[in-house]
Amino acid sequence: MPITYIPVSNINLLGDAVVSGSFQGYDQSYLINALQALGENFVGVTQLLYNSSDDEIIKLNELGVKAIRFNVNRGGSEDISRLDYLARRVYELVNWHTELYIVSNSLTEITTIV
């Protein structure tokens, strides 16, 4: 699917993060197309399945993806029970950070109360 860009002449944007939308699910094509069109000063934030292969994650990293996101608030991403595993896995493999879209009262589901 081609991406249409609307030029804005009074903004000198040097770089930014492109966040894969929840409606895109695990389809990486939109994000990859945007990153390739925008250039090396832009990075991607994506959603992944917990069983994505190391090769897929490494390839996404090479293409400019630098973070993983979990949309716990609206759904559409990997289950919250897999958050810790997947966040640690991508950090150890490619040094990505994790972004959470979450209502704070849901945090008790992913913490251990001492």
Side-chain angles (χ1 to χ4, degrees):
M1 168 180 267
I3 298 172
T4 304
Y5 296 97
I6 301 171
V8 180
S9 60
N10 61 346
I11 296 177
N12 187 15
L13 188 60
L14 301 177
D16 209 337
V18 179
V19 180
S20 184
S22 297
F23 75 93
Q24 294 163 339
Y26 305 106
D27 181 354
Q28 306 298 336
S29 62
Y30 297 96
L31 181 60
I32 298 310
N33 288 342
L35 291 173
Q36 290 175 338
L38 292 167
E40 65 184 33
N41 291 334
F42 291 79
V43 298
V45 180
T46 195
Q47 301 177 132
L48 289 176
L49 290 167
Y50 82 100
N51 61 353
S52 296
S53 71
D54 286 356
D55 289 341
E56 179 184 358
I57 296 167
I58 291 167
K59 179 67 172 173
L60 288 169
N61 187 67
E62 291 169 353
L63 292 169
V65 177
K66 300 301 176 190
I68 186 169
R69 72 187 292 254
F70 291 86
N71 185 347
V72 180
N73 193 45
R74 285 196 214 155
S77 67
E78 188 56 79
D79 187 86
I80 192 169
S81 66
R82 295 185 173 136
L83 188 153
D84 184 63
Y85 165 79
L86 190 51
R88 289 177 191 272
R89 183 169 164 233
V90 297
Y91 180 78
E92 290 169 4
L93 185 62
V94 288
N95 202 34
W96 288 0
H97 80 268
T98 299
E99 172 188 298
L100 301 177
Y101 180 35
I102 191 167
V103 175
S104 63
N105 63 4
S106 300
L107 292 173
T108 57
E109 294 179 35
I110 59 173
T111 61
T112 302
I113 298 175
V114 183

